[in-house]
Amino acid sequence: MSGKIRAVICGASGYTGAELLRILCSHPKVEVVAATSEKSANKPVTDLFPHLSQYSSLTLEPLNIEPLLDKGDVFFMALPHGASQKAVNSLYEHGKRIIDLSADFRLRDPVVYEKWYKEKHGYHTALSSAVYGLPELYRESIKNAKLVANPGCYPTSAILALFPALTQKIVNTADIVIDSKSGVSGAGRKADLALSFCEVNNGFKAYGVSTHRHTPEIEQELSVIAGTDIKVSFTPHLIPVNRGMLSTVYAKLKTDIAIDDVSAIYNDAYKNEPFVKVLPKGMFPDTRYVSGTNYCHIGLSINHNKTLIVVSAIDNLIKGASGQAVQNMNLMFGYDETTALESLSPVVP
Amino acid sequence: MSGKIRAVICGASGYTGAELLRILCSHPKVEVVAATSEKSANKPVTDLFPHLSQYSSLTLEPLNIEPLLDKGDVFFMALPHGASQKAVNSLYEHGKRIIDLSADFRLRDPVVYEKWYKEKHGYHTALSSAVYGLPELYRESIKNAKLVANPGCYPTSAILALFPALTQKIVNTADIVIDSKSGVSGAGRKADLALSFCEVNNGFKAYGVSTHRHTPEIEQELSVIAGTDIKVSFTPHLIPVNRGMLSTVYAKLKTDIAIDDVSAIYNDAYKNEPFVKVLPKGMFPDTRYVSGTNYCHIGLSINHNKTLIVVSAIDNLIKGASGQAVQNMNLMFGYDETTALESLSPVVP
Amino acid sequence: MSGKIRAVICGASGYTGAELLRILCSHPKVEVVAATSEKSANKPVTDLFPHLSQYSSLTLEPLNIEPLLDKGDVFFMALPHGASQKAVNSLYEHGKRIIDLSADFRLRDPVVYEKWYKEKHGYHTALSSAVYGLPELYRESIKNAKLVANPGCYPTSAILALFPALTQKIVNTADIVIDSKSGVSGAGRKADLALSFCEVNNGFKAYGVSTHRHTPEIEQELSVIAGTDIKVSFTPHLIPVNRGMLSTVYAKLKTDIAIDDVSAIYNDAYKNEPFVKVLPKGMFPDTRYVSGTNYCHIGLSINHNKTLIVVSAIDNLIKGASGQAVQNMNLMFGYDETTALESLSPVVP
Amino acid sequence: MSGKIRAVICGASGYTGAELLRILCSHPKVEVVAATSEKSANKPVTDLFPHLSQYSSLTLEPLNIEPLLDKGDVFFMALPHGASQKAVNSLYEHGKRIIDLSADFRLRDPVVYEKWYKEKHGYHTALSSAVYGLPELYRESIKNAKLVANPGCYPTSAILALFPALTQKIVNTADIVIDSKSGVSGAGRKADLALSFCEVNNGFKAYGVSTHRHTPEIEQELSVIAGTDIKVSFTPHLIPVNRGMLSTVYAKLKTDIAIDDVSAIYNDAYKNEPFVKVLPKGMFPDTRYVSGTNYCHIGLSINHNKTLIVVSAIDNLIKGASGQAVQNMNLMFGYDETTALESLSPVVP
C-alpha cells in the first residue's frame, strides 16, 4: 500500500463517519486503517452500514488515542461537541494532522464558545492554531494546517451564499436574514423519539429559533469577510427528507445594482472553485441536484424591495461535513482538491 | 331539508374543491346541490374522490351560470385565476352571495392585479364591493358581504403572523422578510411532470423568487394594518409533504421590548379568535399539528439582533383555502363561525 | 355528565392510546376519566399530543389498578404484550368490562401463546372467557363480553380478506399466502434507531419473515372459519408511510368460479357491515382512502392460474386497533356500532 | 478517444435513459455520441437532467435511424413498448449491436407477445435471434448476441429469487406466488395525475392485479429453468419511494430440506456472480442498500408450512434496467463485466 496515507476515523458510527468511509474508499491515495466508536465497539463496520461492503475487514474499536498515534497520518474526528476537545488536543500535541468535524475548534474566541456551547474550552493553544476549513475562504492556510476545524453545515451554506456580496460590499451588513432548511440526517444517527419516522414524516417546523449554535460561527466568518461586526437573524428548519440543505439569505442592497452585475460578482468570486456553481439568471437550486455530491449551487435574485436574495443548496453530509473534510484533507496532503469528490453524483430520481 | 342553505361549488375537481365537499358534508345547515368541473363533467364526484362516499349521488356538471342561479344560495368559486372573474361577476350581478377562492377579487387596485396577474380586470364594480375574507381582520364586513375574496394561503399565514405586531407598531415596517414553505397540494391537482412524485420527493427548493403573485396581496393587507405602505421580501418554498404551510417572518423591533410583552400583545389580539392559537413561550409550530384543521399556530421569539421572529403554521388547503371559505360562509349566514370546522382534527401520526 | 360511561385508557402514551383519545373525544356517550403511562406519568396528555387540545385537563398517571376500579366503566388496555396479562386479569376479577389491545388474550390456547410470545400465560380463566373482538365474526358475543381481545392489525386485514371465501368453501385451505405491508406507526411510538426517519425513509423491506407473532392469531381464526386446521404463509413488510396496511392474499380456487360470483359472495357476506366495503370489479384498494378511517376496503381478482387474489386495506391504527376497540365498546354498551367512527374521514391528499 | 466504443441512446429523456447516461459517463471504454428524444428534441441533455453536467455538449435529437447507423457501435433502445420493434429491427438488419430495454424482444413467442401487449409483432427474424439479457442465466449467449432483450425489472427480481431453487428442483413448480413492490420511478418520467406527488405520497396499493405484462416474461424464463411449464401468481404494488424493488416469493418445498441446505444451494448458484449477494441466514434485504447500485440482495427462509420464502431486492432502474443493460454491453464487447457498475454505491441515508 505504499504511497497511501493512513486515515483514522474517530466517531465512525454516525452518518458523517459513514460518509467519510464511503467517500474515502474511492480515494486512490488513502487507506482507512482504523475507525472508532464507543457504543458500537468491536462490531464490524458492515454491521452498522451494510452498504459499505468494501470495509468487510474493518472493526470498530473504542477510542484510545495512544495506540492510534502510530497508526494514522490523518485523523478525522467525528465526535460529539465537547468530547472532541480533549482527543483533538492529544493528537495535536503529538503533531498529528487533524480534521475535526465537531464544533470544538471552529469558534476562535473561547468566550463565545463557552457562551453558546455551555462548556469550557480547555485547549486554547490548539484552538488558536486551528484553521477554519472552508476551502473557498482559507485554501492556502488549510494546506499547511495541523488542525482544520471543518465548518458546520449551516455555516457552509450561509457563508458561501454571502461571501461575494460582502467582499464586494454591495449589501448592508445589518439585518441580514438567513432562513435555512435541513434534511433529517443533520440531526445525527441516534435513537430519539423526536427523530422517529412517524414524528418527522408529513410535517416541517422551525427549531432552535434564536438559539442555534451555528449562529456565532456564521457571524464570526461573515464578520471576517466584511471587516466589521455582523449579527444575523438565523433560523433553521427541519424538512422531512434524508439529505439536503437550503439557505435562503436576504440582505439589503446598498446601491442600485442590476442582477447581471451581481451575477458577475458571484461568478467571478467562484470562477476557480471546483465545487461552487452559480446558476444562470432566473434559476434556483433544488437540493435534489446536490444531494449525494460535494457541490454548492447558488441562485440569485433582486426583489422589488431592493433586497438581494441568495439561495444556496448543499448536501448537509457532504459539502456540509464529510465531503468538505476530504476536500480539506486533499489540500493538506497536496492531492488534487477534487480527488474522490468529483465522481460523487446525485442519484436522481 | 328545510332550514338548510344550498351550496354550489364551481371548480370542484381540484384539491380545494374536494376539501370544500369534505368539510361541508358535516355541516348541519348546508346542502351541496351542485358541483362543476369542465374536465371531469358528467363524472360522479366519487370517481375523482373515492373517499367522499357521502356524495355518491352528486355528478359534476360543466359550469353554466344560468341554470345554477336558482339552485344555489351560496356559491364557492374554486376556478383558476382569470377564469373566475366573469363567472363571479355574473353571480354578483344576480345578487348571489359568493365566496371566491381565486385571486381575482383580492387585490383592491385593478392596476396592481393587472401588473402581477398579466390580465385585465373587467369587473371593477364587483371588485370594489369585495370583502377580503380574513375573519380575524374583517369579521364584521364579511357578515354582510355579497362577495368575499377568500385569501391566498401564503397571505393568510403571513398576515396572521404580523397583524398584532403591526397593529401595536412594535416593528419597523421596512424590510420585513417572509420566508414561507408549502406542501405540494398548494400547487393544485394536475398532471404535471414537475409535480410528479419522483421529481418532488427527496428534495426541496425555493420557487417564484421575487415574483410570486401573493406578494402584492400580502403587501396590500399589511399596509392597511400598519396604515403605511409596506413592501416585503417574500420567498415561497416547496416542501415534499402533501399539506402544511409555515411562514417564518422577520421584523426589526422598534424598541426594547421583552418577549413576554410581545406574547401578551399576540395573545390579546387573538384572545377571541377560535382558530388562532399563540403557543407558549419557547414553543414553535409543527405543521403536523395543524394539518387537517382550520387552525393557525403561532410561535414567537426575539433574537440577539433585536429582530422579532414569528413562525406561523396552517394547513394550506383548510385555513389557507377551503376551511377559511366555510368560516366566511358561516359568518355570512349567521351560523356559529366554527360550525363544521372545530371537529376537524389532525391525523397524527 | 349523566348518561355517559367513564372510560379509562391504560397505556395512553403510544399511538393507539392517542387514537383512542382522539376518537373518544367525539363520542357523545363516553367520557375519558383517566389515562395511564409509566414513562410519561404526571405529564399532561397535551405535552405528548399537542393536537389533542380537548384533553387539556387530563394528566397521565402511573398505572395503579386499585384506585382506578371505581373510576371507570370500561377499560381500554393498550399495554405492551406480557405486561397486559396481570392488569387485565385484576380488572377482570373485579368484574370490569375490558377491551385489551395487546395480544395477551387473543390466542385461545395458552400453549400457542407461550410458544410464540416466549412467555407464560398466567390467567387461563380470564383467557377462556375472552371474546375475539372482530365484530364481523363475533358481534353477538362481543355484546355481552366482559373481556374483549381486540385483534391485531395484520389479522384484521387478513381475516376480513378471507372470511367469505372460507365460509363458502371456494378456496383450498392449504398453502394460503398472506403478503402484508404496513406503515411505520404499527411499530409503536418509541425511541429506536431502526425506526428513525433516515433509517426508514426511501426504503422498504420484509421483516419477521416466518416468525411474526400475528401468524398463530391469523391461523386460529381462519381455522375456526373454515372448520379445519389452517396453516398460512404470512410475511409482513415495512413501508415508509405513517399509516396504512395492505394484505395481498392468494388462495387456490377449488372450482371454476367466475369473478362475479366471488364478488357476489363477498358482497353478500358484508352487506350489513358498516365498515367493510367490497370494491367494484377491477378496482383495488389504495391505503390512502382508508387512512384516518375505520373502513376496510377489499378488491378481488381471479388470475390465469385459478388463484383468488384478495387485496384488503385498513388503517392499522384505527380498524387495526383503536377504531375497532371503540366499535367493540359500542357493541358492549348497546350504542350504535358506528358512533364516533363514521365521521372519521380520510384526509386526502 | 481511440479505443472507445460509441454508444447511442434512443429514448434518452426517461429515467432509464438518464441512468444510462449517468452510468456510462464513468465507463472508460464508452463514449455516448448521440441521444434521442421526440418530445425533448433539440434540448440539451442538461436541460432535462441538470445533474448530468458531464453531458453539457450533448443535445437530444429526434430518432432518425439512417444518420445514426454510422455513428454508433452499440445502441441502447429505451423506447416505449411497441415503438421499439421497428427501430430495433432496422438496426438489426444493418448488423448493429443492440440492447433493447423495451419489452418488444423479450417474449420468444410472438403469439404470447400479441396476447399480452395487444400488438402485432412484425419482426420474427430479429425476435428469434434475440438473447434474453439476464447475465446470470445467459452470460455466454449474451457475449455474442447481436440483439439483447434487456429484462424487465420485476422479472429480474423474480427470476433471480427462484433460479437456484428451480434448478435444483427443491420446490413445486405449481402455485408459486410472487408478490412484488416497486418504487415510483418504475412508472416512468411523465406528466400523469396518478403519479403526482399528492396522489402517491402517504399511500400504497396493488395494481395490474392478474394482468401485469411482466407475468408472461417471468413465466417464460422460470419455465426454461425448470424444464416444465410454469404459471405464477404475480402481483405488483406501488410504494411511495423513488427507487427500489422487492419481490417476496413463496414456493412449496418438495422435500424436508433445512434452511442451511437451501442457503448452500443459493450461495453455490451465485458464487461467481458479481452482482448477486445471498444474505446470511436470518437477514433479509432492505431496498435502501441496493438503491443506487447494480446489486441484487437475496434473503431466504423456510416457514412452518414447508414453504420456501425468498425475498429479493434490486434498484428497479439499475439492475432492473440501465445497470443491467451496461452489464450486458460489457459482456458483448469483452470488457470486465463490472466496469462502471461496481463503483455505484448506495447513498445511505
Side-chain angles (χ1 to χ4, degrees), chain C residues 175 179 210 219 252 301 304, chain D residues 175 210 219 250 252 301 304:
Chain C
D175 301 324
D179 192 282
S210 303
E219 292 178 340
K252 193 84 177 185
S301 179
H304 67 322
Chain D
D175 301 323
S210 303
E219 293 178 340
Y250 304 81
K252 193 84 176 185
S301 179
H304 68 322

Side-chain angles (χ1 to χ4, degrees), chain C residues 21-293:
Chain C
L21 287 164
R22 185 173 76 95
I23 296 168
L24 289 174
C25 85
S26 69
H27 197 297
K29 297 290 190 185
V30 179
E31 185 187 12
V32 178
V33 294
T36 82
S37 164
E38 305 312 302
K39 272 182 302 189
S40 301
N42 304 317
K43 285 191 186 165
V45 160
T46 49
D47 264 26
L48 281 73
F49 306 118
H51 64 295
L52 298 176
S53 53
Q54 306 91 332
Y55 292 97
S56 56
S57 61
L58 186 65
T59 294
L60 293 162
E61 52 187 277
L63 175 57
N64 209 334
I65 294 289
E66 277 305 315
L68 288 173
L69 285 172
D70 285 347
K71 281 196 190 165
D73 301 309
V74 63
F75 289 75
F76 291 94
M77 307 300 285
L79 301 175
H81 309 316
S84 196
Q85 276 189 41
K86 196 180 163 198
V88 165
N89 190 65
S90 291
L91 293 165
Y92 178 78
E93 291 188 339
H94 282 86
K96 292 294 171 184
R97 301 192 82 180
I98 309 147
I99 299 158
D100 183 24
L101 285 84
S102 89
D104 282 356
F105 292 86
R106 292 179 196 155
L107 297 174
R108 291 184 190 96
D109 183 345
V111 175
V112 176
Y113 177 84
E114 286 160 19
K115 180 180 161 200
W116 287 84
Y117 287 86
K118 315 289 177 207
E119 205 151 338
K120 284 270 166 207
H121 201 300
Y123 306 97
H124 293 200
T125 309
L127 178 58
S128 68
S129 86
V131 175
Y132 191 72
L134 195 61
E136 291 77 8
L137 268 67
Y138 298 107
R139 182 167 285 112
E140 291 313 309
S141 310
I142 291 164
K143 287 180 181 170
N144 301 306
K146 279 283 178 217
L147 168 54
V148 167
N150 210 60
C153 46
Y154 288 118
T156 296
S157 72
I159 297 164
L160 293 176
L162 280 162
F163 170 55
L166 289 174
T167 306
Q168 295 303 317
K169 301 189 183 304
I170 59 173
V171 293
N172 286 348
T173 55
D175 301 324
I176 289 172
V177 168
I178 299 164
D179 192 282
S180 297
K181 299 93 184 164
S182 174
V184 185
S185 59
R189 182 175 173 272
K190 57 191 170 195
D192 180 346
L193 178 58
L195 297 178
S196 74
F197 185 83
C198 289
E199 300 293 313
V200 169
N201 190 36
N202 285 340
F204 47 103
K205 62 180 177 187
Y207 71 98
V209 183
S210 303
T211 64
H212 196 281
R213 291 164 166 182
H214 284 176
T215 311
E217 185 181 335
I218 294 169
E219 292 178 340
Q220 165 182 289
E221 294 304 318
L222 297 188
S223 298
V224 170
I225 295 167
T228 184
D229 232 44
I230 291 187
K231 292 222 173 311
V232 299
S233 292
F234 164 61
T235 311
H237 298 75
L238 187 71
I239 305 296
V241 303
N242 285 13
R243 291 166 177 252
M245 173 165 285
L246 197 83
S247 287
T248 310
V249 179
Y250 304 81
K252 193 84 177 185
L253 286 164
K254 282 176 166 175
T255 54
D256 257 342
I257 182 171
I259 184 66
D260 287 340
D261 295 326
V262 176
S263 273
I265 286 170
Y266 272 72
N267 275 299
D268 191 57
Y270 291 132
K271 66 173 180 284
N272 295 319
E273 286 304 332
F275 293 116
V276 182
K277 185 175 169 186
V278 182
L279 301 181
K281 188 163 61 167
M283 292 191 60
F284 294 88
D286 183 328
T287 60
R288 292 192 308 135
Y289 295 123
V290 294
S291 284
T293 83

Side-chain angles (χ1 to χ4, degrees), chain B residues 2 4 16 19 30 52 66 71 130 162 171 183 194-195 209 221-222 244 247 264 309 322 324 331-332 343:
Chain B
S2 75
K4 289 199 178 187
T16 53
E19 280 295 271
V30 178
L52 298 177
E66 277 305 313
K71 281 196 190 164
L162 281 162
V171 294
L195 297 179
V209 184
E221 294 304 318
L222 297 187
S247 287
I309 302 174
S322 304
Q324 187 141 270
L331 289 168
M332 291 164 80
S343 64

